[in-house]
Amino acid sequence: MHFLPALLLFLHLLAAAFWVGGMAVMHFAVRPSAVATLEPPLRLPFMAATLARFFVGVSCAIGVLLASGLLLVWASGGFAQVHWSVHAMFTLGLVMMALFLHLRFAPYPRLRRAVAASEWPAAAANLNLIRKLVGVNLMLGVAVFALAVVGRAL
Ligand code: HEM
């Protein structure tokens, strides 16, 4: 493999690892620990602040994933030349990005507004919706990894 595609693949994998790994940490470690140790008036502002920082990273990761992925496709001669697993990766990747945009611009601003107004039940309901959407995206992310790596051999 030449240097440029290797560099693009490195950036692509770094961004995918950050996004999927970050969702796993939020889902399996941060939120359950916050539920176990903090009451709602502390837990909900804490989760809103944690998500604010994580979402900045996810937005960067999405930009890198899309740019590096599309450049890799272009370097391979276009979508007509690539393996079906890359088409599947692209499609599922777009679904993941759409879900992220939805949770980032619908339930997340509602969570922040509810936290600012100390409306804990409304904040908890929106955080719960975000948790479910992140869970779906985590499963999709694992499926994309499987498709990208194992799918290539099929
Ligand atoms: C949405 C736009 C995306 C495009 C256009 C894209 C495109 C590509 C391309 C062209 C490759 C190189 C394939 C090869 O050399 O066989 C690749 C590799 C890979 N992509 Fe993506 N990708 C996208 C999103 C994602 C996402 C969202 C993930 C994971 C969450 C992901 C994970 C991977 C992995 C793990 C590989 C390495 C496969 C290997 O070398 O064995 N990609 N991608």
Side-chain angles (χ1 to χ4, degrees):
M1 188 185 261
H2 293 293
F3 179 75
L4 192 61
L7 183 66
L8 288 171
L9 190 57
F10 162 69
L11 293 173
H12 194 75
L13 292 180
L14 197 63
F18 175 85
W19 190 8
V20 178
M23 287 192 292
V25 172
M26 292 298 288
H27 200 72
F28 292 117
V30 178
R31 188 181 171 278
S33 306
V35 170
T37 57
L38 301 171
E39 293 301 319
L42 280 179
R43 178 170 81 237
L44 293 157
F46 167 78
M47 286 305 299
T50 307
L51 288 173
R53 285 163 178 79
F54 180 52
F55 286 168
V56 173
V58 173
S59 303
C60 297
I62 286 177
V64 171
L65 265 177
L66 255 183
S68 57
L70 290 173
L71 282 168
L72 280 166
V73 170
W74 174 74
S76 310
F79 273 106
Q81 304 298 321
V82 294
H83 193 256
W84 65 264
S85 61
V86 175
H87 291 261
M89 174 173 9
F90 184 49
T91 307
L92 282 184
L94 290 182
V95 173
M96 288 176 68
M97 290 168 197
L99 274 179
F100 171 74
L101 286 176
H102 173 69
L103 71 89
R104 169 66 185 78
F105 291 106
Y108 174 65
R110 291 200 297 263
L111 166 68
R112 296 202 66 143
R113 279 196 297 273
V115 165
S118 302
E119 288 169 357
W120 308 127
N126 282 295
L127 184 61
N128 200 35
L129 184 54
I130 292 172
R131 177 185 64 82
K132 286 182 184 154
L133 292 171
V134 169
V136 172
N137 250 359
L138 179 56
M139 284 190 286
L140 286 174
V142 173
V144 175
F145 261 88
L147 266 170
V149 180
V150 184
R152 237 173 27 161
L154 303 175

